[in-house]
Amino acid sequence: LHRGQGVIRRWRGWLPEIPEQAVAELGEGDTPLVEATRLSGRVGARVYLKLEGLNPTASFKDRGMTVAMSRAAAAGRTACVCASTGNTAASAAAYAARAGMVCFVVVPAGKIALGKAVQVLAHGAEIVQIEGNFDAALRLSRRAAEELEHVALVNSVNPDRIEGQKTAAFEVCEALGRPPEALALPVGNAGNITAYWKGFTEWQRAGRAAGRPRMLGFQAAGAAPLVAGHDIESPETVASAIRIGSPASREGALRAVRESGGLIESVTDAEILEAQDLLAREEGVFCEPASAAGVAGLLKLAREGRAPAGTAVCVLTGHGLKDPDAVLSRVRLPEPVPATFEDVARRLGA
Ligand code: F0G
């Protein structure tokens, strides 16, 4: 029904003002919500997957980027900057190209998944690799945007990003006909959990639903400042997208958890990779490691007898093709065989 319309045109009345001529969109949003029957069996709840990897640049970032970039263009900015673990950079690069703006992305050197780096280069953005982590990159990007008047900051500390991303909550409610009992998602810089909570809250206030879901946020064990209660100086995890030690939207995340009776907990790298593998093999859904953190969290809650009752939605934030190394590190391409029927048949188990 709404396919290809884009977040701004679909949800205009819920978003800040954007003049029509400034709209930079790529038909983002309106992503599938698919039921995961095998996962549901394992968790003991009705589990749905929100496939945010099916956005134009293959992550949820596009929802917020269309709003932030359009508003920056409308305000007369000619360039943008962001810090990123990869997906924000890929999305900013694409939407800046669309808006005719110059794009600078500041990233931790050598720490960006291959697919994301390739996207940034393909769109012609300027990559600034720093000898530091995401948290340092965000500090530097904020300062650059403060001091250079023509440059807009398009990280999720820009409220326009949150406004765009909240539309995913509206879609979940529409697809189910009501809010789910629980929403599970990975937490890095904590913009997305903040955005979903804002979306569910506005939906309820508008009289569209009676309640709101419990928010279940999951961080990687080596990068879990919200679980530890303090910043982590050198965050480490295989889930490079959420390798963040000092989340900018910490307050938004804590409010979501408090007001919803939810939780923020951690999952190990092994649990994350196991969930990624299970989604791919049992559900046919390929997401990047960070995106599997919500599913890993639900499985952990189920093992401990704490699974949510009713319907749970897991947000799969980014596509698996973003990070080929994550799979290649555990699955090898087998050696070639001679091109004879006998050799092929042997491989087929004959
Ligand atoms: N999942 C993926 C695939 C991400 O790329 C991110 C964040 C998150 C989850 C966490 O979302 O930060 O709003 O809590 N990626 C940012 C980036 C940091 O630079 O691409 P969050």
Side-chain angles (χ1 to χ4, degrees):
L1 187 61
H2 310 295
R3 194 90 199 138
Q5 200 172 19
V7 157
I8 293 173
R9 297 203 172 99
R10 171 78 184 89
W11 298 107
R12 201 156 220 157
W14 302 74
L15 296 173
E17 205 170 307
I18 301 163
E20 185 58 32
Q21 73 276 7
V23 172
E25 56 94 12
L26 288 162
E28 61 291 318
D30 200 22
T31 55
L33 185 72
V34 300
E35 195 172 351
T37 49
R38 293 184 184 86
L39 182 58
S40 295
R42 287 173 182 268
V43 172
R46 192 163 185 153
V47 180
Y48 289 83
L49 308 172
K50 180 72 170 154
L51 305 188
E52 289 292 279
L54 271 66
N55 275 297
T57 76
S59 87
F60 71 97
K61 305 287 181 180
D62 297 342
R63 289 179 186 278
M65 204 56 75
T66 182
V67 176
M69 202 67 72
S70 301
R71 299 250 303 158
R77 308 299 184 88
T78 55
C80 66
V81 65
C82 65
S84 185
T85 55
N87 281 324
T88 298
S91 185
Y95 284 82
R98 197 79 181 158
M101 282 166 63
V102 176
C103 179
F104 300 98
V105 307
V106 185
V107 302
K111 302 286 190 181
I112 302 302
L114 183 62
K116 306 173 190 181
V118 169
Q119 286 179 288
V120 172
L121 296 173
H123 290 300
E126 296 287 335
I127 285 204
V128 183
Q129 295 205 75
I130 61 163
E131 295 162 352
N133 61 23
F134 170 85
D135 303 296
L138 184 55
R139 274 195 302 277
L140 294 165
S141 300
R142 286 176 111 145
R143 176 145 181 218
E146 261 164 38
E147 300 200 358
L148 305 171
E149 210 185 316
H150 65 292
V151 180
L153 183 68
V154 293
N155 279 106
S156 59
V157 293
N158 176 338
D160 294 336
R161 279 276 313 277
I162 303 295
E163 291 299 311
Q165 283 174 213
K166 78 185 179 189
T167 62
F170 302 162
E171 289 179 17
V172 167
C173 293
E174 278 205 334
L176 294 173
R178 57 181 182 79
E181 272 70 42
L183 186 100
L185 78 175
V187 174
N189 210 27
N192 210 29
I193 190 170
T194 301
Y196 267 92
W197 186 241
K198 187 166 199 287
F200 288 123
T201 300
E202 290 184 7
W203 197 253
Q204 184 189 33
R205 288 216 177 113
R208 301 283 189 109
R212 297 178 288 183
R214 284 182 70 208
M215 302 294 284
L216 311 177
F218 295 95
Q219 300 203 287
L226 297 176
V227 180
H230 56 77
D231 285 358
I232 306 295
E233 188 142 348
S234 303
E236 263 315 326
T237 167
V238 67
S240 59
I242 51 172
R243 196 181 285 146
I244 293 173
S246 181
S249 295
R250 157 194 343 263
E251 292 312 321
L254 297 178
R255 188 181 320 120
V257 168
R258 197 170 58 240
E259 293 180 358
S260 74
L263 52 81
I264 293 192
E265 296 192 6
S266 65
V267 284
T268 65
D269 279 3
E271 288 167 336
I272 287 172
L273 293 175
E274 196 183 312
Q276 184 197 24
D277 193 55
L278 192 142
L279 284 166
R281 289 172 187 271
E282 292 193 356
E283 297 292 354
V285 174
F286 186 26
C287 68
E288 66 172 287
S291 303
V295 172
L298 271 194
L299 289 167
K300 176 182 143 176
L301 294 182
R303 274 199 308 277
E304 297 170 358
R306 300 189 287 142
T311 298
V313 169
C314 289
V315 184
L316 300 189
T317 47
H319 201 284
L321 289 172
K322 293 262 191 184
D323 191 355
D325 296 323
V327 175
L328 291 174
S329 67
R330 61 175 189 271
V331 185
R332 224 166 19 88
L333 201 59
E335 290 303 311
V337 297
T340 70
F341 178 73
E342 288 68 30
D343 283 286
V344 173
R346 203 171 306 127
R347 277 290 174 85
L348 268 58

